[in-house]
Structure formats: C-alpha cells, structure tokens
Amino acid sequence: MALQDVCGFLETLDDISPCTYLPNEMGYMWRTPFEFDGDSAFHFLFPPQQCSRKNRAPTLFSSTFSSLSPHQQPFQLSHGTTTLGFIFQDGVIAAADTRASCKGLICCPISQKIMPIHSHLVVNTSGSGADCMLWERILTREMRLYQLRHRKRLSVNGAAKLLSMMLHPFKGTDVCVAATLCGWDGEETQETLQSCMEIADVKEAVEQDSNVSAISDESAQGSVKMASINEQDEISKDTQALNPTVSNQNTKNALSTFGERSGPRVCYVCSDGLQLKGEIISVGSGSPYAYAVLDDGWRWGMTVDEAVALAREAVFRATHWDAYSGNNVDLFHITAHGWRRRDREDLKEEYYREREREKKKIKEREKERQKREGDELVEGEGDIYSVHCG
Amino acid sequence: MEYLIGIQGPDFVLVAADNVAASSIIQMKHDYDKMFKLSEKILLLCVGEAGDTVQFAEYIQKNVQLYKMRNGYELSPAAAANFTRKNLADYLRSRTPYHVNLLLAGYDETDGPGLYYMDYLSALAKAPFAAHGYGAFLTLSILDRYYRPDLTREEAVDLLKKCLEELNKRFIMNLPSFTVRLIDKDGIHDMEKLPHVSFPSPPQTSD
C-alpha cells in the first residue's frame, strides 16, 4: 500500500466485487494532501468533498451503490470496551481490556485493542472492530510515509489531526472508531534511535523468558523489573535529564519542563469528529467506571509502579461492572525510549485474589476489634454489657 | 449543554464560553477552549456537533488568514461574519451541512466593536449582546434588564458574572468554568477564568 502510493500507482478496481469502492475514494482523498502539485494545494481550502458518500452505507452485501436507503446490517454492531490512557511524569500508560463483543455474544475474549503504530506511539481503539483494524493500518501507513518524506516522526497531536481529517468524510456513515493515541513526542536523535532498537531486542528476550504470572503488587514490581538493569539506568538517567524537579509540580508546569516539543501525550480522536488532548482519557462502555478510579488516584508525580497499578485497577473495576468489558488486561508503557508491553493478565484470577484479600482484611479487622475489646475488658470492671458487645 | 455569551460595549467586546468537552454523559475535558482566533482582533466562538465545530471553525480561520496573506490587509469583522455565514449557507442545503452555532466578535478600526450572532441555519444578526445554548434561555433576560450601550469594562464583567451565577443556580448541567476574553483596539486580551472558585484539580502529590 505504501509503495503504491509513493509511486502514484492506482489500480483500476471496476471489475472487483462489492465494497472496494472504498480504496478508490480513499486513494483519491489521501494522495492529495501530500502531493505538491498546484491542483491539490487548494484541497486544504475546501472541506473535503462529501459528494454522495454519506448516503452510501458501506456494507458487505450490497453490490449496487444505491443512495436511496441504507442497506440493513445483518446484525447490530456493539461498541463495548474499556480503554484508557494517561500521562504522568515518567511517560504514558495505555491499558485496555481484551473482550470483543457483538450484542450478547463475546466474539473474541483475547482480542488486542492496543496496537503499536511506531516505536513511540500506540493507539487504543474502541468502536467497531473492523473499522478500528482498518484505520490503525491506514494511520500506520500515513505515519510511515510522513516519516520517510520529512525525516522526522509526526507528533502525537499531528497524528491525531491527520486521523481526524481522514475520518471526517465518513461522518454520518456507520464508521465507528474512537481511538486514543498515546505516545511520546520527542527529538529524533541517533541516540534515541539506537536505544529504541536496544529496547526492542530486550523486550523480545524478556517476553520469551517471562510467563503470565499472578497479578498482585509484587508482580507489578516484578514485571517492571523484567527490563534489564542497563535499560533501567538509562531510563532513569534520561527522565532525570528531561525533568529534574518534576514530582511536585502540577501538570501544566510539568509539561512545560519537557518543553513544547517533547514529552508524553495522550490524544483522543473519534469518528464523529471530536478531537481532544488531555491528561487522562478513557473510552468505551466501561469508561465511566474507569474514570472514577483514575480521577481518584492520578497524580502527575506517580511512579511507574503506581501508574501501572492504577491502570490495572481501573480496567479491572470497569470489567467488573460492565458486561461488555472483561477477560484480560493489556498494558503498554511508553517513555522517551519507546513502548514496552506488559504481559497480558487474566482479570478473573484478579477477581478471586481480591476476594481472598478482602476476606483476609475482614479477619484481621475482626481480630483487632476483639483484641481491643479484650483490652477494654481487662481495664474495665468486667461489665456484662461489654461482654455482649464483643 | 454548551454555552456562549457576548456583550458589546462602546469600545470593546467581552466574550465568554464554557470549558467543558463532553461525550455522552462524561466530561472528557474541563479546560477545552471553544474560541478560535481569526485574526488579531477577531474571535470566533463555536459550539455544536462534535466534529463540525473544529472542522468548520478551522476552515474559516485558515481562509481569513489566507485573505490577509494574499491581500496584505485583514478582513474586517463584518466581512468575516458575512463570509462565515455564506459558507454555512452554502453547506446548509448540501448533503453535509455543518451543525454549528457561532458568535463572531471583533474590533474594527473604522466601525468599532462588533458582535455577530450566527446559528446553524446560517442566520446572521449584529447584536449588542447574544448567547447560545440552553443557558441562553436563562441569561438573555438578565442581559435585557441590565445592558446599556455605554457599559464600562468592569460593568460588563459584572453583568457577565450575574449571568454565570444564574447558570450555576438554575441550569441543570454543571459548567464549572468559563474562558473570558476581551477584544478592543489593542487586540484580544485573556481575562481570568470565571468563576473565581477554581475547579478542584486532580489530587497532587505531596512528598
């Protein structure tokens, strides 16, 4: 696809079946912003040509491009999920559940909703699964083309703008994509490129070695420690260099210590056109539950462990209450060195572990209460009433 | 659910917009800026359907800037307002109308301050005061009672505060903060966000 665009080669798709009118229109739409011939310069002035795209509901089964009435979908597409992304002093955390649902059926309990776009950008997607997969690939392609043409990575906000502009012509159709772009903006230097490649090697080695272990506070620390010692040193050195006195500042001040050009970013893009930059973004049917946990625990000066634990808990609580979210939780952590992926964890086990923890806590509280009353008994006169209260 | 208000004085225009970016029942952002700077002395306030607002407002913004690049001088607020209205009208009967409600506020060297009210049906009216959104139902009568053409800047801000108090009291939606800007012959000035009681920010670390 990318080479095709660079060469300006357009297939003729007249003789191919149903819904492939899309590539043609998309090809027309996307070539122009990046070509520098005189004609396309004016495409920035006019809102993209809508023509009759809005009345064509792209379906699998319709082979005629009738614009009279949208073809009935064979089944309802549901958009149940919980994804979240937030920034803090040590980068960006992106987390999501892994359940793909279709009305009342779990189509896939192990889907992957967080896709890396490039070394410093991942995208959380929610909405219709097919649309998300397609648009992820399209965005990856456009980002790579930008990087090849301009010799630097497009910023997260730039990528969000690009995706928003590409989705705009499909507003009003059934395209449903709600993407959260989580990434690190930064200067592309030889050192960072080098360290990104090293990180990738380390990550592969580590993923082969580790096994899916229990979720607990211990495991949270454990998987962060999975990275090699060298890498940890590099990262801590770099974060210190980038943000010397960050921990007590509020967000705006902290972002300014990174400078305008580099730092963690989270950006939300929706197919109905909403585009938001922020510190905490959560999307999907489980997002209200996640927001409640995130708003309570988020601080700019969090450590990586705290951030990971917060993200895991937010997804866990959301999956508990929301029927359309569940199964596992994926977690990515993006820093100036690139993204790192945590092992997928099964939330069912976390649920049982939490019940055990609660039982233990109740027992401990009971013991404490008895001890306290035991002490009071000893101190007091041995009143029968205090015995009853025990 | 969104709210815009503008008050024109003898030599200034005061505008305010709420800061909430919402998606169904969730406030996704508490500090979202709904004002678009068209030129040194023109602001476009834009609310409406999710993608349409930014798309349309940025389109107008870039075109106004292009006019300046081509011709060497800026569009006046009246001209910019009419250009905006014309674009809204052109798209109204197309297959993709823009569902946006706008306030355009500007200061012209010759004509003085101007506040233009535009709605999604591309109606255009120059008005001494105007408001958009459900909040307008609650505040237009306050503006009616207390507005005078020779308001000072402080009186205009007090009038704005009265309107926002009424919103806090009677409007069902919680709109915790508003961006306030003032345009006069010296350009666009950012003013303090209202109300003065700030929205509680996420808990900060204290180590």
Side-chain angles (χ1 to χ4, degrees):
Chain A
M1 271 159 77
L3 187 58
Q4 183 179 313
D5 270 326
V6 168
C7 302
F9 174 68
L10 264 189
E11 294 172 356
T12 52
L13 296 166
D14 305 319
D15 50 350
I16 310 182
S17 55
C19 55
T20 52
Y21 69 85
L22 265 172
N24 229 347
E25 286 177 334
M26 295 198 304
Y28 162 72
M29 186 179 73
W30 295 328
R31 278 172 54 229
T32 44
F34 296 105
E35 281 174 357
F36 298 115
D37 53 66
D39 182 46
S40 67
F42 292 106
H43 274 273
F44 282 119
L45 301 186
F46 307 114
Q49 287 297 317
Q50 310 282 350
C51 43
S52 53
R53 228 173 279 143
K54 279 230 166 118
N55 284 345
R56 301 181 190 175
T59 67
L60 297 172
F61 304 101
S62 157
S63 57
T64 57
F65 301 157
S66 152
S67 57
L68 290 177
S69 62
H71 188 96
Q72 280 297 323
Q73 297 281 343
F75 43 78
Q76 272 293 334
L77 303 169
S78 297
H79 317 129
T81 187
T82 306
T83 68
L84 59 95
F86 61 86
I87 59 175
F88 65 112
Q89 53 94 5
D90 205 1
V92 193
I93 298 282
D97 72 313
T98 60
R99 176 175 291 182
S101 60
C102 173
K103 233 176 181 176
L105 171 72
I106 300 176
C107 295
C108 178
I110 47 169
S111 62
Q112 189 179 2
K113 301 189 187 179
I114 313 184
M115 297 293 286
I117 300 280
H118 58 62
S119 59
H120 289 70
L121 180 66
V122 306
V123 61
N124 293 358
T125 48
S126 72
S128 141
D131 287 331
C132 289
M133 279 185 194
L134 174 68
W135 286 97
E136 270 160 15
R137 292 196 71 200
I138 291 166
L139 183 65
T140 311
R141 180 188 78 165
E142 293 301 323
M143 300 283 291
R144 183 69 183 138
L145 279 172
Y146 184 94
Q147 189 177 0
L148 288 169
R149 285 178 178 137
H150 299 91
R151 279 193 235 132
K152 63 175 177 165
R153 281 200 306 264
L154 189 56
S155 65
V156 175
N157 291 338
K161 196 83 197 156
L162 179 62
L163 185 59
S164 180
M165 298 294 264
M166 290 198 286
L167 283 171
H168 183 75
F170 297 94
K171 192 175 152 89
T173 63
D174 284 328
V175 171
C176 181
V177 176
T180 310
L181 296 166
C182 310
W184 186 284
D185 281 347
E187 295 296 307
E188 187 83 47
T189 63
Q190 267 312 106
E191 287 102 30
T192 57
L193 276 175
Q194 190 74 20
S195 55
C196 285
M197 292 190 328
E198 283 168 13
I199 298 286
D201 293 337
V202 168
K203 193 184 68 62
E204 277 172 22
V206 148
E207 276 185 4
Q208 282 161 15
D209 291 344
S210 65
N211 37 11
V212 181
S213 54
I215 308 175
S216 62
D217 297 322
E218 292 82 42
S219 87
Q221 292 157 8
S223 14
V224 171
K225 283 187 197 134
M226 276 192 320
S228 69
I229 305 213
N230 289 344
E231 191 190 320
Q232 287 277 1
D233 285 341
E234 266 179 47
I235 290 166
S236 55
K237 249 191 284 170
D238 258 324
T239 49
Q240 274 167 23
L242 285 171
N243 47 346
T245 55
V246 131
S247 50
N248 283 333
Q249 291 169 327
N250 66 17
T251 311
K252 291 203 177 56
N253 289 346
L255 280 178
S256 68
T257 64
F258 285 118
E260 297 214 347
R261 297 213 165 260
S262 73
R265 302 270 186 266
V266 142
C267 216
Y268 170 67
V269 180
C270 186
S271 54
D272 65 9
L274 189 61
Q275 190 199 338
L276 297 172
K277 303 179 255 272
E279 287 110 40
I280 307 175
I281 305 271
S282 176
V283 185
S285 53
S287 67
Y289 311 110
Y291 267 122
V293 175
L294 290 170
D295 284 336
D296 188 43
W298 182 88
R299 288 182 342 264
W300 174 261
M302 286 192 294
T303 64
V304 177
D305 291 343
E306 286 172 353
V308 166
L310 182 69
R312 265 178 47 235
E313 171 139 20
V315 176
F316 170 61
R317 299 281 169 214
T319 57
H320 179 59
W321 287 108
D322 181 31
Y324 298 106
S325 311
N327 295 103
N328 309 307
V329 58
D330 279 333
L331 214 144
F332 279 66
H333 175 215
I334 305 115
T335 57
H337 292 265
W339 56 260
R340 287 190 306 176
R341 186 190 174 162
R342 226 179 111 89
D343 282 337
R344 179 171 280 191
E345 296 170 275
D346 191 345
L347 290 173
K348 179 179 61 178
E349 289 164 24
E350 172 68 12
Y351 172 70
Y352 289 116
R353 249 181 270 119
E354 211 208 354
R355 278 179 56 175
E356 292 302 311
R357 280 202 293 269
E358 288 302 313
K359 271 191 211 158
K360 251 194 277 176
K361 256 191 230 162
I362 289 173
K363 278 199 196 127
E364 277 170 22
R365 275 207 290 261
E366 188 59 43
K367 265 190 233 160
E368 261 179 45
R369 209 181 306 133
Q370 282 175 354
K371 201 171 130 226
R372 227 182 308 129
E373 266 141 25
D375 290 342
E376 283 169 16
L377 262 181
V378 165
E379 283 168 24
E381 289 287 317
D383 207 28
I384 40 166
Y385 293 112
S386 60
V387 171
H388 277 290
C389 291
Chain B
M1 303 302 174
E2 302 173 292
Y3 182 68
L4 299 177
I5 182 172
I7 302 173
Q8 181 198 321
D11 59 350
F12 66 91
V13 188
L14 183 70
V15 288
D18 72 291
N19 285 334
V20 169
S23 174
S24 88
I25 59 162
I26 303 279
Q27 279 187 18
M28 295 201 78
K29 250 187 108 122
H30 317 290
D31 54 358
Y32 186 68
D33 193 0
K34 299 183 185 177
M35 303 195 192
F36 294 84
K37 186 174 150 183
L38 297 191
S39 75
E40 288 309 313
K41 295 182 191 164
I42 308 181
L43 269 181
L44 181 69
L45 287 73
C46 192
V47 293
E49 205 179 310
D52 288 351
T53 49
V54 175
Q55 198 80 9
F56 184 73
E58 286 192 347
Y59 168 58
I60 300 292
Q61 190 180 42
K62 302 312 171 203
N63 271 292
V64 170
Q65 287 166 2
L66 179 66
Y67 183 94
K68 182 181 178 190
M69 279 182 224
R70 279 192 176 140
N71 302 294
Y73 56 90
E74 289 183 339
L75 272 175
S76 67
N82 278 287
F83 171 72
T84 310
R85 189 213 70 85
K86 177 81 170 58
N87 271 286
L88 265 177
D90 287 339
Y91 279 95
L92 183 63
R93 303 253 180 213
S94 74
R95 292 212 178 81
T96 61
Y98 286 103
H99 198 289
V100 290
N101 293 314
L102 309 162
L103 282 183
L104 193 143
Y107 188 91
D108 193 23
E109 299 299 330
T110 42
D111 298 331
L115 177 68
Y116 296 87
Y117 171 99
M118 266 173 281
D119 72 359
Y120 70 100
L121 295 169
S122 71
L124 170 68
K126 186 172 192 301
F129 56 84
H132 273 300
Y134 287 119
F137 289 96
L138 295 165
T139 51
L140 281 173
S141 46
I142 299 178
L143 290 166
D144 256 340
R145 287 186 73 193
Y146 294 106
Y147 177 81
R148 283 171 292 112
D150 58 351
L151 282 176
T152 66
R153 284 169 171 71
E154 291 76 25
E155 286 168 352
V157 173
D158 284 338
L159 181 51
L160 177 65
K161 280 186 190 163
K162 271 207 190 70
C163 294
L164 301 185
E165 267 167 33
E166 181 63 19
L167 278 187
N168 278 331
K169 192 163 175 230
R170 289 290 182 184
F171 190 41
I172 200 176
M173 286 278 303
N174 177 36
L175 296 174
S177 80
F178 295 81
T179 310
V180 184
R181 293 202 166 105
L182 187 124
I183 311 176
D184 62 7
K185 63 174 169 48
D186 297 321
I188 301 172
H189 310 281
D190 283 346
M191 299 184 64
E192 204 181 9
K193 274 195 184 169
L194 290 179
H196 290 295
V197 177
S198 59
F199 187 74
S201 48
Q204 301 296 324
T205 181
S206 56
D207 50 340

